Amino acid sequence: MDIRHWKDLLARRFMFLLCIFVLSLLFCIIWGLYHKASPVLAASSWGAILFSSDWHPTQGRFGMAGFIAGTLWITGLAVVVAVPLSLLTAIFLAEYCPARVRDIIKPVMDLLAGISPVVYGVWGVLVVVPLVRDHLMPFFSGRFSFFPFVSDNYTGFSALAGGLVLAVMVTPFMISLMEEVMRSIPFGVRESSLALGATSWQTTKKVILKKAAPGIVAAVILGLSRAIGETMAVLMVAGCALQGFPRSIFDTAYPLPALIANTYGEMMSVPLYDAAIMLAAFILLIITVVFNMAAWGILLHLERKAA
């Protein structure tokens, strides 16, 4: 063999080892968190941890159901708001927006995606929290008397405020990805549909969105992954009160990332407290992995269907 063949073989083996190393990081993180959380798992059952909201570390009770519910409430609200807004905006930018206007909007989208979460949190405290407290809560409370609109919380710091701030944070990111996917579809596909007599909206609805569906789902997956783990902005506007399950979108919520950020490094003299925080991180990681696996399963199904 000549030296070029050996170089090629060495490069392939080296890149393969790097790939294995990157893939192994997830399992190393899972094992490390589980190992650190094992003392609290030995003292409490999974049922007491996952299905109880009784959080009293000084008394040895570590029920995390309220924190898990707060995470799901805020993330769910963010996705419900962000996905339609992102999709419709991406359709406009890709299919209807003049090139000159698009050249102005795109840098603004990139700027919004790069703003620090703390800045979004401050904006949420100054704008979103008063909006929820002074306008949205009176509007819904005066017209609806059923779940999930009734609440005794009148501060505005709520799951809804956290969901709205989180939706604003992930929307520019999702818009950019969706718009790139739609613009990557060959122009001949559009011309063929228009030549058959379809209108511009029919072409977008029946052709563009159908071919771009896998990429749109991938954008939602990445946005969801960022939303689940977001900490600072949500911590500043969600209330983070220990009150068990949030019963309404206007109740305060205490998501797992906020719990970890608020308490890690504090009260480590309490037995099992540090293990409980590691368990919270482990549960958050498992939730993220499960949601991503489910979303990627949907993505693979759409890709097979499109093929």
Side-chain angles (χ1 to χ4, degrees):
M1 298 184 183
D2 58 11
I3 190 171
R4 289 182 299 175
H5 179 79
W6 282 108
K7 287 182 178 179
D8 181 66
L9 181 62
L10 181 62
R12 280 187 289 149
R13 296 289 174 84
F14 179 70
M15 288 185 286
F16 174 75
L17 291 175
L18 289 179
C19 180
I20 296 298
F21 171 74
V22 171
L23 293 176
S24 66
L25 287 177
L26 175 62
F27 299 99
C28 292
I29 293 171
I30 292 176
W31 181 85
L33 291 176
Y34 183 82
H35 176 71
K36 289 290 186 179
S38 57
V40 76
L41 293 174
S44 303
S45 65
W46 276 107
I49 293 171
L50 296 179
F51 302 106
S52 171
S53 59
D54 187 12
W55 176 264
H56 291 94
T58 56
Q59 302 173 19
R61 298 200 294 268
F62 300 99
M64 297 188 185
F67 304 115
I68 297 173
T71 302
L72 298 179
W73 265 95
I74 292 176
T75 304
L77 287 169
V79 170
V80 168
V81 174
V83 171
L85 181 63
S86 301
L87 181 58
L88 294 176
T89 305
I91 290 173
F92 171 75
L93 290 176
E95 303 298 323
Y96 300 101
C97 184
R100 190 173 301 175
V101 177
R102 187 189 302 115
D103 292 340
I104 298 174
I105 295 177
K106 284 284 290 180
V108 176
M109 289 292 176
D110 295 336
L111 177 63
L112 289 173
I115 292 177
S116 172
V118 176
V119 176
Y120 279 111
V122 173
W123 170 78
V125 172
L126 296 177
V127 177
V128 178
V129 171
L131 173 67
V132 172
R133 180 189 64 226
D134 300 332
H135 299 284
L136 296 181
M137 280 190 67
F139 175 82
F140 284 106
S141 298
R143 289 165 175 79
F144 302 96
S145 58
F146 54 87
F147 179 88
F149 300 112
V150 176
S151 176
D152 297 328
N153 171 34
Y154 299 103
T155 64
F157 293 91
S158 59
L160 178 60
L164 291 177
V165 171
L166 204 55
V168 173
M169 290 181 63
V170 302
T171 293
F173 181 68
M174 294 170 62
I175 289 174
S176 180
L177 291 176
M178 292 180 182
E179 190 258 347
E180 290 294 334
V181 168
M182 293 180 192
R183 285 176 58 82
S184 67
I185 297 174
F187 189 72
V189 174
R190 298 172 175 81
E191 289 184 324
S192 300
S193 177
L194 295 172
L196 292 173
T199 63
S200 180
W201 171 244
Q202 288 174 330
T203 299
T204 301
K205 181 180 178 181
K206 299 292 185 180
V207 179
I208 303 302
L209 290 181
K210 185 176 180 180
K211 292 187 69 67
I216 292 173
V217 172
V220 174
I221 293 171
L222 295 174
L224 178 64
S225 299
R226 180 177 180 183
I228 290 178
E230 184 52 53
T231 303
M232 285 307 301
V234 174
L235 186 152
M236 296 173 70
V237 300
C240 298
L242 293 172
Q243 62 174 21
F245 291 93
R247 296 167 296 136
S248 162
I249 59 177
F250 294 111
D251 281 342
T252 59
Y254 206 156
L256 287 169
L259 170 68
I260 298 168
N262 267 341
T263 59
Y264 187 73
E266 300 178 3
M267 296 178 65
M268 291 297 108
S269 60
V270 178
L272 301 180
Y273 196 92
D274 56 340
I277 300 304
M278 291 297 101
L279 181 61
F282 176 76
I283 293 173
L284 180 62
L285 177 60
I286 295 301
I287 291 174
T288 305
V289 171
V290 169
F291 270 93
N292 275 271
M293 290 178 64
W296 282 113
I298 297 172
L299 177 61
L300 291 175
H301 174 73
L302 291 174
E303 288 178 343
R304 290 196 202 100
K305 191 175 179 180

